Amino acid sequence: MSDVISALETLELAIGRGAGIVDDADLKSARTVAEQVRDRRGFLGDTLVIALAGGTGSGKSSLLNAIAGRRIAETGVLRPTTERALAWIPADPEPGVVALLDRLEIEGRFEQHSLRGVAIIDLPDHDSIVLQHQQIVDRLLPEVDAVVWVFDPQKYRDPLIHDDYISRLLEYQDQFLFVLNQVDLVGQQDLADIRADLLASLREDGVSEPRLFELAADPPGVAPINIEPFRHFLGEQLDAKAVTTGKLLGDIRRAGRQLRVAAGLDRGAGVGFEDRWPSVRSSAVEAMVDGVGFDDAVCRISDFVTALSVETGGRFGIRVRNEYDNARIEEELRTAIDNSGFQPVARVERGKLSTALHLLWFGPDQRAPTESVTALASGIESRFGHGLFQLLWDRGVFAATLAEVEIEARLAERR
Ligand SMILES: Nc1nc2c(ncn2[C@@H]2O[C@H](COP(=O)(O)OP(=O)(O)OP(=O)(O)O)[C@@H](O)[C@H]2O)c(=O)[nH]1
Ligand SMILES: [Mg+2]
C-alpha cells in the first residue's frame, strides 16, 4: 500500500508543478483521480467492488440473480431492462462501501450473507438506446475494483463494447473478467468457435490474458449452468487486495499519462534550447553590430519564441508567447542596449549606392566597441535566455515528475 501512496504523492506533486503548463481543466481531472485514490485507500482489501457490464440483454441482471441465488434485479426481454445501477452488498457493509455507493448515487442496495467481502453492482446497458445510461456507465467504471464484461453468443463482437470501452480502458485490464453467458443456446461446436473468436477479439482489443468464464445464468426451465465455479472464483480466488492495488495504480498511471498528453510531452520534453539559443543570441547581437538594426534583432528573438511556442504547444506554448510578446521583447532589448553602453549603428541600406555612402560616411571599421558588444550579449542573455530557460526548465521538471509517476506505479505493479 505504501507503494500506491508514494506513486499517488508523486502524482500530486506533478499536479502542483503542472500549473501554467497544462490547462486548469486537465489539472482538475487529475486532481479528482488523486482524490478518488485517496478515498479508496480506506477499505483496501476488505470489500471487493465488482461491476457487471456489457451489452443490453447479455444477461448482467440474470447473472447477478444467479450469483445471489434469488431474484433481486429486474430481467427481461424488453430492452433496456435495468434503468438504474443497483448493488448487492455484504450485510453490515463497511463504511467505505457505503460511502462509495453514496458517491456513485446508487440507491438500490440489497444486503447479502452468502459471498463474504464482495459487492456486485449491476450496471445499466451499454448500448446507445438511452444515452444517459452510457454516461452512468462511464462514471461508474473508473470507481470499481473489477469489471465483469458479460457477452452473449449473438452480440459478443459488439464494437461499442470492444472499441469504446475495453480497448479504451486497458490500464484496468488486470481488473477485467469476461463471461460468455447463454451458452445453453449454442451447441458444443459453435461454442468452441465462439470462444476462440471472442478470445481473439479481446486480444485484438489489447487484453493480454483474458479470463473467460462460460455459463448460463438463466436458461429457461433449468437451473443456471456453471455459476458455482464463477461464484467461487469471485469469493475465493480473486485477490481483492492485489486487484484493488492494481486498480489504484492503473488510475494513477492513467492520470499521469493524460497530463503528459495534455502538456504535449508524449512527443518528448526536449526542444534543444541550450543548443539553439546561443546562435539566436549571437544573431541578435550581430544584427545590431552590423547595423541591420534593432527591428531585426527583435525579429530574431521573436522568431525563436514563436518556434518554442509552436513546438511546445498547448497551454504552455501560449504562455511562452504571451510572456515574451513583441512589446516585451522590444522593451527588454532596449534596456539591454541602454545598460550595455552599446551605440546602435545606423541602419545600412542594402543598395550599392547607399552602401558606398555608408562606407564613405562611417568608414569600413564602423563597428561597436567589443566591450559594449559583450555587455549587450550578456544583457540579452539575462533578459531573455535566463527567463526562457527557466520556463522550459519548469516544464522539464514537470515532465520528469510525470515520468517518475509512471516508474513508481510500474515498479509497484510488479511487487
Ligand atoms: N437462454 C438464456 N437466456 C438468458 C440467459 N441469461 C439471461 N437470459 C435472458 O436474456 C434476457 C436478458 O437478460 P437480462 O439479465 O435482463 O439482461 P441485462 O444484460 O441485464 O439487460 P439490460 O438490463 O437491458 O442491460 C432475459 O430474458 C433473460 O431471461 C441464459 O443463460 N440463457
Ligand atoms: Mg439488466
Side-chain angles (χ1 to χ4, degrees):
M1 191 56 205
S2 60
D3 295 345
V4 176
I5 299 301
S6 108
L8 173 64
E9 282 171 353
T10 312
L11 174 65
E12 287 170 337
L13 186 64
I15 294 169
R17 289 178 171 164
I21 297 174
V22 290
D23 284 330
D24 292 346
D26 294 309
L27 289 176
K28 194 169 165 222
S29 61
R31 204 172 287 123
T32 306
V33 173
E35 280 161 12
Q36 279 168 357
V37 172
R38 283 215 177 267
D39 284 347
R40 297 215 38 127
R41 283 172 315 148
F43 58 97
L44 257 187
D46 296 334
T47 305
L48 180 68
V49 183
I50 302 170
L52 302 177
T56 187
S58 56
K60 300 176 292 293
S61 301
S62 303
L63 180 58
L64 177 55
N65 290 340
I67 293 169
R70 67 191 172 106
R71 196 173 175 77
I72 53 170
E74 247 341 91
T75 61
V77 257
L78 287 180
R79 305 271 76 83
T81 305
T82 305
E83 292 279 344
R84 287 165 175 225
L86 61 86
W88 184 69
I89 57 175
D92 193 15
E94 54 190 316
V97 173
V98 176
L100 176 67
L101 295 177
D102 287 347
R103 203 161 64 243
L104 297 176
E105 293 171 38
I106 296 178
E107 282 156 22
R109 300 172 195 187
F110 298 82
E111 295 197 348
Q112 53 105 354
H113 298 269
S114 63
L115 213 53
R116 217 164 41 89
V118 174
I120 300 182
I121 299 175
D122 178 21
L123 292 178
D125 75 288
H126 266 162
D127 296 1
S128 50
I129 304 171
V130 184
L131 180 68
Q132 189 200 0
H133 285 181
Q134 243 179 305
Q135 290 162 352
I136 297 169
V137 171
D138 280 336
R139 226 181 78 227
L140 291 192
L141 283 188
E143 291 260 24
V144 298
D145 295 313
V147 179
V148 177
W149 297 94
V150 183
F151 295 97
D152 64 65
Q154 284 82 43
K155 296 194 301 283
Y156 65 92
R157 274 187 163 278
D158 184 350
L160 183 78
I161 292 181
H162 288 280
D163 302 343
D164 290 3
Y165 288 93
I166 297 175
S167 39
R168 252 200 317 124
L169 296 164
L170 284 177
E171 285 92 346
Y172 302 126
Q173 61 169 293
D174 291 346
Q175 285 72 60
F176 289 171
L177 297 176
F178 302 94
V179 161
L180 177 61
N181 186 34
Q182 308 188 13
V183 296
D184 57 300
L185 294 179
V186 287
Q188 281 304 323
Q189 185 49 49
D190 285 347
L191 180 59
D193 292 346
I194 292 171
R195 176 193 307 129
D197 205 20
L198 174 55
L199 287 172
S201 28
L202 291 171
R203 291 205 176 92
E204 262 170 46
D205 294 339
V207 182
S208 47
E209 287 171 32
R211 286 173 290 183
L212 179 65
F213 293 81
E214 291 157 26
L215 50 85
D218 188 19
V222 286
I225 302 166
N226 279 348
I227 284 295
E228 222 21 71
F230 186 60
R231 249 183 78 97
H232 179 76
F233 183 84
L234 296 185
E236 305 292 331
Q237 281 166 276
L238 198 57
D239 180 345
K241 198 171 159 77
V243 164
T244 311
T245 305
K247 159 74 170 56
L248 297 181
L249 290 167
D251 287 340
I252 291 171
R253 282 178 61 193
R254 197 172 152 84
R257 194 163 315 150
Q258 277 167 356
L259 286 179
R260 269 208 317 272
V261 171
L265 291 167
D266 45 333
R267 296 165 307 213
V271 286
F273 178 80
E274 278 157 283
D275 294 333
R276 293 157 70 189
W277 165 246
S279 70
V280 176
R281 186 190 51 213
S282 316
S283 73
V285 173
E286 273 161 26
M288 308 287 299
V289 173
D290 290 348
V292 184
F294 182 80
D295 290 350
D296 271 50
V298 169
C299 265
R300 290 181 196 185
I301 296 172
S302 175
D303 286 351
F304 183 57
V305 168
T306 305
L308 290 180
S309 159
V310 170
E311 286 166 34
T312 52
R315 161 85 186 247
F316 182 81
I318 294 169
R319 181 173 159 205
V320 170
R321 188 66 272 188
N322 286 348
E323 286 199 20
Y324 288 88
D325 61 4
N326 279 4
R328 175 168 175 197
I329 294 175
E330 284 177 22
E331 191 189 313
E332 299 275 12
L333 194 56
R334 223 166 250 129
T335 317
I337 293 167
D338 290 349
N339 293 348
S340 68
F342 177 84
Q343 292 294 320
V345 179
R347 187 177 177 88
V348 175
E349 294 301 333
R350 299 211 176 246
K352 269 189 189 161
L353 177 65
S354 56
T355 306
L357 285 173
H358 179 88
L359 286 172
L360 270 175
W361 190 256
F362 291 107
D365 288 327
Q366 184 61 36
R367 296 178 73 90
T370 328
E371 251 172 58
S372 66
V373 170
T374 313
L376 176 61
S378 74
I380 291 180
E381 180 60 32
S382 64
R383 298 199 159 263
F384 298 101
H386 292 181
L388 285 169
F389 179 78
Q390 187 60 49
L391 269 180
L392 291 162
W393 178 259
D394 291 347
R395 180 173 174 268
V397 169
F398 177 61
T401 315
L402 289 176
E404 188 66 26
V405 171
E406 179 76 19
I407 291 165
E408 282 186 23
R410 273 177 188 264
L411 287 176
E413 272 170 358
R414 295 215 188 107
R415 274 183 203 123

